[in-house]
Amino acid sequence: MKKITKLLVANRGEIALRIMRTAREMGIRTVAVYSEADRLSPHVRFADEACCLGPAPSNQSYLAADKILAVCKKLGVDAIHPGYGFLSENAAFAKQVQEAGILFIGPSPVSIEVMGSKLAAKQAVAAYAIPLVPGTDEAISDVAVAKVKAKEIGYPILIKASAGGGGKGMRVVESEAEFDEQMNRAVSEAISSFGDGAVFIEKYISSPRHIEIQILGDQHQNVVYLFERECSIQRRHQKVIEEAPSAVVSPAMRKAMGEAAIGVAKACNYYGAGTVEFIVDEHLNFYFLEMNTRLQVEHPVTEMITGKDLVREQIWIAEGRPLSFAQEDLTIQGHAIEVRVYAEDPKNNFLPDIGRLLTYRRPQGAGIRVDDGFEEGMDIPIYYDPMIAKLIAHGATRQEAITRTIRAIDDYQISGIQTTLDFCRFALSHDAFQSGQFDTKFVDRYFRPEFLEPQFTEEEKILLAALAVEFFEVEDKQVNPTTPLSPANTTHWTNRLT
Ligand code: ADP
């Protein structure tokens, strides 16, 4: 067993801070790396030591493996935590780290590699009786054969890139007539985005929920599941609200999904923290989608309901310790919800809205956790993912967690940029969310940008009209038209109008 004494976090923003906080509680010294754009970031100030990697673009900073390894050598670092994104699922990097005699806080390079390919993952789990979406388990090489298979499965079907990620590289095919065209597009998209043209087909689940299982495995063949996270509220195939537990998962379904997730982990000799993603149809049949071999953005909801610090567990596992608890020791305590606060404009198709955080005040109070990486006055850089913060609320029941999250959204004060907070308030207040009856189509089905415009009752409209009249009367008295307009008065008006 190797004791970690100095940890470098190869990441930025909220996740870098979140990891370093746990490391500090464990008595481990922390090293931050940063790009020129992040010079003033809280994660840089929090760390015991910090090193600039270079210019803002990720390939010259957070993805520059050699520079990161050089910092490790210079500062005597004995472990690297990659966070999520950037180098976290890069098998070659994990290998390079190991070869440099440094602990990589994550699974083995082989596990990363197998699970990084959707086809290799399907093949690896074949021996474990894991339910898979009906489809092909090999790359399509003969279009005619693929068409026969598609007919068997039944349209609509989905063409997916084996190397795909982040919701990219997928094409829905409604009928055989579209097959060739969509196939050609999928292959060229897969080559241009991932440098790998391998595609396969899957039945298209028309009303799917995205439910994932958190697992933890040690290096001594013990694997446990820490229940599920419901991640069906998505925009552009990406999660924006997550909760644990799911409103529709029964104890029997939870056990079945948990055991399937353990099977997936065993299929690739997994150790570390990992997430097994499932797609769930309207009859609550679940199918394995893929495994993410890292800490997830939404891991805090699992921490809130299990009382476990997943980063501490990751560190202990990397040091070689056996898990300190068994499956029977884990229970679900209450309910947790996370809303992701992105610098995006929900009224404009959720496009990034980059700028300065003119006002930034976090909500507080019992059961509230805010993981963020920014402070008031800071600019949100254009170079990276535009997530500003994660707001997580815990309650004794689902309803209490919802009410608490909405209260905290109301208390969150952000100005200078648009965020997803108003959309999240809309979603949490919607009957579909409250009843638990929703799927990944929530945004298309229920959301319209105009719902975020301020809504006034008739009484409020009358009151606002009265206030407007009074305002202009006061202004009239201050700028008396009989008095010649002085420069001061002109400025006064100009200021009021801009
Ligand atoms: P990625 O690696 O790009 O995240 P996933 O396989 O995890 O790809 O799928 C991302 C999202 O796409 C899922 O959360 C789900 O909303 C949708 N999706 C994936 N597979 C299917 C399917 N067979 N039918 C319907 N929707 C799917």
Side-chain angles (χ1 to χ4, degrees):
M1 218 162 61
K2 184 175 171 187
K3 177 87 188 80
I4 295 171
T5 57
K6 200 186 247 196
L7 174 73
L8 179 144
V9 181
N11 217 299
R12 61 184 295 279
E14 66 89 17
I15 196 64
L17 261 178
R18 187 260 164 274
I19 294 164
M20 287 195 272
R21 287 192 179 115
T22 290
R24 182 158 296 164
E25 287 169 16
M26 295 173 79
I28 298 171
R29 288 183 62 77
T30 54
V31 177
V33 286
Y34 59 96
S35 73
E36 283 163 12
D38 285 338
R39 190 159 262 144
L40 303 173
S41 292
H43 84 276
V44 178
R45 289 205 308 274
F46 185 90
D48 296 309
E49 290 168 272
C51 245
C52 182
L53 292 172
S58 310
N59 59 359
Q60 294 174 63
S61 51
Y62 300 104
L63 288 174
D66 293 337
K67 290 187 188 175
I68 293 169
L69 286 168
V71 173
C72 291
K73 207 164 169 197
K74 190 170 125 205
L75 300 181
V77 164
D78 48 21
I80 294 182
H81 195 307
Y84 54 70
F86 297 124
L87 294 164
S88 62
E89 289 176 288
N90 183 323
F93 176 67
K95 200 152 177 252
Q96 233 182 318
V97 172
Q98 273 186 355
E99 282 167 3
I102 298 166
L103 283 181
F104 178 77
I105 312 238
S108 71
V110 176
S111 303
I112 300 177
E113 197 161 344
V114 170
M115 290 298 155
S117 150
K118 292 185 204 294
L119 279 172
K122 282 189 183 222
Q123 285 152 13
V125 304
Y128 287 80
I130 312 290
L132 300 175
V133 185
T136 51
D137 47 14
E138 274 173 27
I140 297 172
S141 50
D142 184 333
V143 176
V145 175
K147 275 189 190 164
V148 173
K149 185 76 190 171
K151 213 172 199 166
E152 244 174 70
I153 297 168
Y155 286 92
I157 58 121
L158 197 58
I159 302 184
K160 272 187 171 181
S162 178
K168 279 192 223 129
M170 283 187 269
R171 296 236 146 226
V172 182
V173 189
E174 298 288 347
S175 66
E176 190 166 327
E178 296 175 8
F179 196 97
D180 292 271
E181 189 196 336
Q182 296 291 30
M183 173 83 191
N184 289 340
R185 285 201 198 167
V187 172
S188 61
E189 215 170 88
I191 293 174
S192 66
S193 304
F194 312 109
D196 173 2
V199 298
F200 62 99
I201 58 178
E202 248 180 32
K203 172 145 194 69
Y204 181 68
I205 313 278
S206 57
S207 181
R209 298 177 80 111
H210 174 122
I211 301 180
E212 59 188 32
I213 302 282
Q214 174 71 53
I215 64 112
L216 278 177
D218 62 20
Q219 300 189 47
H220 311 276
Q221 274 82 50
N222 304 303
V223 188
V224 295
Y225 62 90
L226 288 86
F227 317 114
E228 78 278 9
R229 288 185 290 258
E230 162 75 66
C231 310
S232 300
I233 307 287
Q234 305 181 349
R235 45 96 185 82
R236 287 188 270 105
H237 288 300
Q238 290 188 324
K239 303 160 188 170
V240 63
I241 301 179
E242 301 97 345
E243 63 179 319
S246 161
V248 294
V249 173
S250 65
M253 182 175 170
R254 179 168 299 126
K255 187 162 185 283
M257 290 182 86
E259 284 168 2
I262 290 181
V264 172
K266 295 217 154 143
C268 64
N269 298 316
Y270 199 86
Y271 58 83
T275 295
V276 182
E277 296 191 336
F278 295 94
I279 192 164
V280 178
D281 70 15
E282 71 261 48
H283 308 297
L284 299 183
N285 298 308
F286 61 88
Y287 306 97
F288 168 59
L289 265 190
E290 63 168 353
M291 181 170 192
N292 292 327
T293 55
R294 55 169 159 83
L295 192 66
Q296 300 272 101
V297 174
E298 60 274 21
H299 76 277
V301 290
T302 301
E303 296 188 322
M304 297 289 246
I305 63 153
T306 59
K308 298 286 177 208
D309 179 328
L310 292 179
V311 172
R312 189 180 59 202
E313 298 300 330
Q314 283 188 298
I315 292 174
W316 279 342
I317 291 166
E319 287 180 336
R321 299 190 198 210
L323 287 178
S324 60
F325 51 87
Q327 191 64 53
E328 316 72 87
D329 302 326
L330 292 166
T331 53
I332 297 180
Q333 299 145 27
H335 200 97
I337 296 177
E338 172 181 283
V339 302
R340 299 193 189 184
V341 189
Y342 281 100
E344 285 179 4
D345 186 358
K347 296 203 271 310
N348 187 17
N349 220 4
F350 293 90
L351 285 176
D353 189 46
I354 303 301
R356 181 160 295 177
L357 282 171
L358 295 178
T359 316
Y360 185 71
R361 313 252 160 82
R362 301 166 183 92
Q364 292 182 333
I368 298 295
R369 163 173 169 183
V370 178
D371 282 18
D372 60 9
F374 289 95
E375 268 162 19
E376 192 164 273
M378 284 179 67
D379 290 319
I380 312 291
I382 51 164
Y383 304 97
Y384 320 108
D385 179 73
M387 195 175 76
I388 308 167
K390 303 180 318 205
L391 162 61
I392 308 109
H394 183 252
T397 60
R398 183 169 190 263
Q399 193 50 54
E400 192 175 287
I402 294 175
T403 314
R404 184 163 279 163
T405 312
I406 295 174
R407 189 273 293 167
I409 291 176
D410 291 342
D411 288 350
Y412 220 135
Q413 292 176 43
I414 301 182
S415 76
I417 49 166
Q418 299 296 317
T419 74
T420 39
L421 277 175
D422 284 345
F423 165 76
C424 291
R425 183 195 294 105
F426 162 83
L428 294 170
S429 313
H430 197 279
D431 287 347
F433 187 86
Q434 300 245 344
S435 67
Q437 297 310 312
F438 57 90
D439 58 31
T440 58
K441 308 270 170 65
F442 180 93
V443 169
D444 292 343
R445 243 195 266 282
Y446 305 117
F447 178 65
R448 299 288 169 273
E450 56 272 22
F451 295 160
L452 300 186
E453 299 298 344
Q455 307 281 316
F456 296 112
T457 61
E458 282 311 307
E459 266 174 43
E460 283 167 340
K461 282 182 196 160
I462 294 167
L463 191 68
L464 280 170
L467 280 171
V469 168
E470 199 174 318
F471 172 81
F472 284 111
E473 277 173 358
V474 171
E475 292 286 316
D476 269 351
K477 279 181 201 138
Q478 282 178 353
V479 189
N480 190 332
T482 56
T483 335
L485 269 183
S486 71
N489 276 342
T490 326
T491 319
H492 172 77
W493 270 106
T494 327
N495 283 346
R496 292 315 283 249
L497 293 172
T498 51

